[in-house]
Amino acid sequence: MVRDPAADPAVDLRGVTKDYGGVGVFDLDLRVERGEVVGFLGPNGAGKSTTIRVVLDLVRPEAGTVRVLGLDPRAAGPQVRARLGFLPSDLAVWGRATARQALDHLARLRGGVDPAWTGELCRRLDVDLDRPLRTLSTGNRQKVGLVQALAHRPDLVVLDEPTMGLDPLVQQEVQRLLRETADEGRTVLLSSHTLSEVERVADRVAVLRRGRLVAVERVAALKQVAVRRVRAELDREPDAGAFRRLQGVRDVVVDGRRLEAVVEGHVDALVKELARSTVVSLDVEEADLEEVFLAMYAGDGRAAAGCGGGDGAAAPGHRAGAAR
Amino acid sequence: MSGPARTTAPPACAPRPGAVVRELARWDVRQRWRSAAGTGAALGVVGVMVVALYPSVGRSLGDLADQLPAAVANLLGGASTSTLAGWVEFEYVSILGPFALLLLGGVLGAGWLAGAEEERTTALVLATPATRRGVVLAALVAGVPLLVLAAALSAVGLLVGDALVAEGDLSLGGVVAVHLQLVGLGVLGLALALAVGALGGRRALALGLVGAVGVVSFLVDGFAPTVDGLAWAERLSAFSWAVGSSPLTGGLDGAGLAVLLGAAAALVVVAVVAHERRDLHA
């Protein structure tokens, strides 16, 4: 029976260990399916860059197996990399080369790059093509890096801190591009230490801590258990006790007709309780995944109990604390 | 996740490995030709000056130079300065030319491998179908013509100087032979820097070792023949293999050139193997 290479995961790491004297990655399992956008999160030194370098075959693990687009990136390097786009965290600079020259050079190395699509990317990201790369700001260099990573419509895009240094409008355009990439059945693996960046575009989030995967969750699932801060002003003084008795509601503070509380998960019960009075104003802060992950990091390396309803079934092969 | 998983085949128009190496080499030349041209132009200007100084300075120094102790004279090329060819060998061929070409090769080789790794352009290139072996070979393919360019400009300087002083003492064949030998030395510097860069990924180390080889070669080439029992050590000097046979008057030293290129080839093999195996920092 002939194996269909398109059925293989985009990235499949099993038991990967790369030890830099206690730093690196250890016994790492990570499986990224085709067409997914997966956010790779962790603080500096968590092992994100090491994992990306393993995927790119820049470093070779001491243990474990690595498959990228169904192939061994060491044995089949050129075939793998022809279908891979990569954005480093801070685009390197080639002497006097302009962005146009650098993009042309990389396009010739890859072959099959559609100039019209490259032009479209440059237009959407507002790339200045004719100035030397070394004179560009970090954000403008980053835009050049994004164009070169996407110009050949790769099957797998690996992005290290993709929106670093970009202004909010360009960040939104990048997020649209990444969603379009996934909609075309291509895969995006992006690393970040900023949760807000990842949650806007990712289907799933993989969290690394000290070189070990501690959680793999769907962003939607995380949002359900995420922590929100609610502030409301009513037409009369609220009954603090009634709010404190609501499930998932804590840190209730009443100040005259104003109420402030922290809600874990859905805000439905709190809103219904508020609705017993006339609500003058209501402010619900955006779900903050940071607090969830901080809770994870504060523990013993296992995911917080609230994250246990993860997607182990949807993402077979993941080994991640409570997500397993 | 949205959208169906697409069947993904390698791009039909992915470039062939040879085309990738050519593109890498073309890019390398584009990045560094100014260094090579600058080195060659500087050598050429110095060459004109050295030759032009012969009638007024070199000839009058001839007797003095001939009276130098053998060790010192040997260190300065061992040639008699009573002729223009001897003066050029004394002032230019024995010291300046070899150091310049060896170090130019070292700068190019250290920049293309270790330097690129330090500047983190290696990761960008190796995220394309380019291979690690291809990167090393491209550095060699790009380096040789740049060394030839620098040597050619140097040769032009000597010939222009010779025409200016109307001595007619420098033969075209001799000048070409010297510079072919110097290109061989430059290729050795290039290969050594590539090998050290591939092994360690540090530009300063690669360039420093090339410089050290230059200094040791110069000293050994100068002193070994004059010290009893150390004459054999002259064979360890890269300078000796390059210009020890006085190619300006004696013509091309095929054996010396073969030794230089053979050593360079061995170092390129080391560079390829090391670069293939090592974890890259960027």
Side-chain angles (χ1 to χ4, degrees):
Chain A
M1 192 173 105
V2 177
R3 188 169 58 87
D4 177 10
D8 289 319
V11 176
D12 191 3
L13 307 180
R14 297 186 186 189
V16 168
T17 294
K18 183 68 190 179
D19 186 356
Y20 293 106
V23 181
V25 294
F26 305 93
D27 197 22
L28 178 68
D29 289 1
L30 179 68
R31 184 178 165 113
V32 180
E33 301 295 345
R34 302 289 179 109
E36 271 194 299
V37 180
V38 171
F40 206 34
L41 283 169
N44 292 335
K48 303 189 299 290
S49 294
T50 300
T51 306
I52 286 176
R53 288 175 185 186
V54 166
V55 169
L56 292 170
D57 190 40
L58 291 172
V59 302
R60 278 72 186 259
E62 289 135 18
T65 59
V66 181
R67 289 288 181 277
V68 179
L69 300 168
L71 300 168
D72 177 350
R74 184 168 188 185
Q79 294 98 305
V80 172
R81 297 195 300 271
R83 297 156 57 193
L84 187 148
F86 170 58
L87 171 73
S89 59
D90 184 15
L91 187 72
V93 176
W94 269 305
R96 297 177 175 83
T98 63
R100 189 188 305 281
Q101 290 166 341
L103 289 173
D104 286 348
H105 171 52
L106 292 167
R108 279 192 288 270
L109 288 178
R110 292 192 172 106
V113 175
D114 176 9
W117 172 237
T118 304
E120 170 73 8
L121 287 170
C122 290
R123 187 191 61 74
R124 288 177 65 175
L125 296 177
D126 191 24
V127 174
D128 185 347
L129 287 168
D130 295 315
R131 282 176 56 196
L133 280 171
R134 66 181 176 185
T135 67
L136 297 179
S137 66
T138 301
N140 283 325
R141 279 209 305 273
Q142 192 79 343
K143 291 192 281 189
V144 177
L146 283 159
V147 171
Q148 65 83 30
L150 297 167
H152 53 302
R153 296 185 184 275
D155 293 326
L156 171 63
V157 187
V158 180
L159 308 171
D160 199 353
E161 310 277 354
T163 59
M164 187 175 66
L166 298 180
D167 65 53
L169 285 177
V170 179
Q171 284 186 27
Q172 287 176 17
E173 191 59 43
V174 171
Q175 286 154 12
R176 274 193 288 275
L177 277 168
L178 297 183
R179 284 311 328 171
E180 290 169 20
T181 301
D183 289 346
E184 292 170 6
R186 295 182 283 132
T187 309
V188 179
L189 175 63
L190 64 118
S191 90
S192 177
H193 62 265
T194 309
L195 295 164
S196 58
E197 174 180 40
V198 168
E199 67 179 329
R200 289 191 195 105
V201 293
D203 302 303
R204 289 192 299 137
V205 177
V207 184
L208 270 180
R209 181 201 183 198
R210 293 179 190 164
R212 297 181 191 277
L213 199 61
V214 296
V216 180
E217 295 290 344
R218 291 207 161 278
V219 170
L222 282 173
K223 283 183 173 176
Q224 285 185 347
V225 299
V227 177
R228 295 171 175 84
R229 185 168 294 277
V230 178
R231 295 183 185 85
E233 182 177 354
L234 307 178
D235 65 341
R236 55 190 166 88
E237 184 170 330
D239 175 6
F243 285 94
R244 289 192 180 105
R245 284 192 290 275
L246 296 174
Q247 188 168 7
V249 176
R250 57 179 167 85
D251 299 345
V252 176
V253 176
V254 172
D255 180 13
R257 291 180 297 163
R258 291 192 176 85
L259 174 139
E260 189 171 324
V262 171
V263 183
E264 293 176 7
H266 292 301
V267 296
D268 183 66
L270 181 90
V271 170
K272 283 174 177 163
E273 184 63 34
L274 289 170
R276 292 175 185 273
S277 309
T278 299
V279 180
V280 177
S281 69
L282 178 64
D283 176 25
V284 181
E285 275 187 8
E286 191 66 20
D288 185 5
L289 299 181
E290 191 111 29
E291 292 195 30
V292 176
F293 291 130
L294 288 175
M296 289 178 187
Y297 289 149
D300 62 357
R302 296 172 64 85
C307 298
D311 59 343
H318 288 234
R319 184 168 61 193
R324 182 160 51 167
Chain B
M1 188 182 356
S2 53
R6 244 178 9 173
T7 299
T8 51
C13 39
R16 300 168 67 85
V20 171
V21 170
R22 277 197 300 278
E23 172 58 23
L24 289 169
R26 190 194 66 82
W27 185 256
D28 286 346
V29 168
R30 186 178 191 144
Q31 296 300 306
R32 303 281 180 179
W33 73 267
R34 291 177 186 82
S35 303
T39 303
L43 277 174
V45 169
V46 172
V48 171
M49 290 168 59
V50 165
V51 177
L53 282 173
Y54 176 67
S56 57
V57 180
R59 189 173 284 147
S60 58
L61 278 178
D63 293 341
L64 180 63
D66 288 344
Q67 292 168 17
L68 289 172
V72 176
N74 212 50
L75 197 61
L76 298 174
S80 167
T81 59
S82 57
T83 63
L84 173 60
W87 167 251
V88 168
E89 203 162 296
F90 180 84
E91 284 290 322
Y92 192 84
V93 174
S94 61
I95 305 174
L96 185 64
F99 265 114
L101 268 291
L102 182 74
L103 289 178
L104 175 61
V107 167
L108 296 174
W112 281 327
L113 227 54
E117 196 172 337
E118 286 180 353
E119 290 163 5
R120 292 177 295 114
T121 53
T122 300
L124 266 186
V125 169
L126 290 181
T128 73
T131 62
R132 295 180 183 212
R133 176 180 306 189
V135 169
V136 176
L137 294 180
L140 191 66
V141 170
V144 172
L146 291 184
L147 289 166
V148 169
L149 169 66
L153 291 172
S154 166
V156 167
L158 287 184
L159 292 171
V160 167
D162 188 44
L164 288 176
V165 299
E167 290 283 335
D169 200 16
L170 296 182
S171 72
L172 176 63
V175 171
V176 170
V178 163
H179 287 88
L180 283 174
Q181 302 284 144
L182 293 181
V183 167
L185 190 60
V187 172
L188 181 70
L190 172 72
L192 178 59
L194 289 174
V196 177
L199 285 164
R202 300 194 184 285
R203 182 185 351 216
L205 180 64
L207 191 52
L209 271 177
V210 172
V213 164
V215 171
V216 170
S217 287
F218 170 67
L219 294 175
V220 168
D221 184 46
F223 286 121
T226 63
V227 178
D228 288 342
L230 271 184
W232 58 270
E234 190 181 2
R235 291 183 170 277
L236 299 178
S237 164
F239 279 23
S240 175
W241 290 109
V243 294
S245 64
S246 301
L248 191 59
T249 50
L252 190 70
D253 176 8
L257 193 56
V259 168
L260 294 172
L261 295 181
L267 287 166
V268 169
V269 171
V270 171
V272 168
V273 172
H275 204 47
E276 291 268 15
R277 293 185 177 180
R278 193 168 61 80
D279 287 340
L280 300 177
H281 302 303

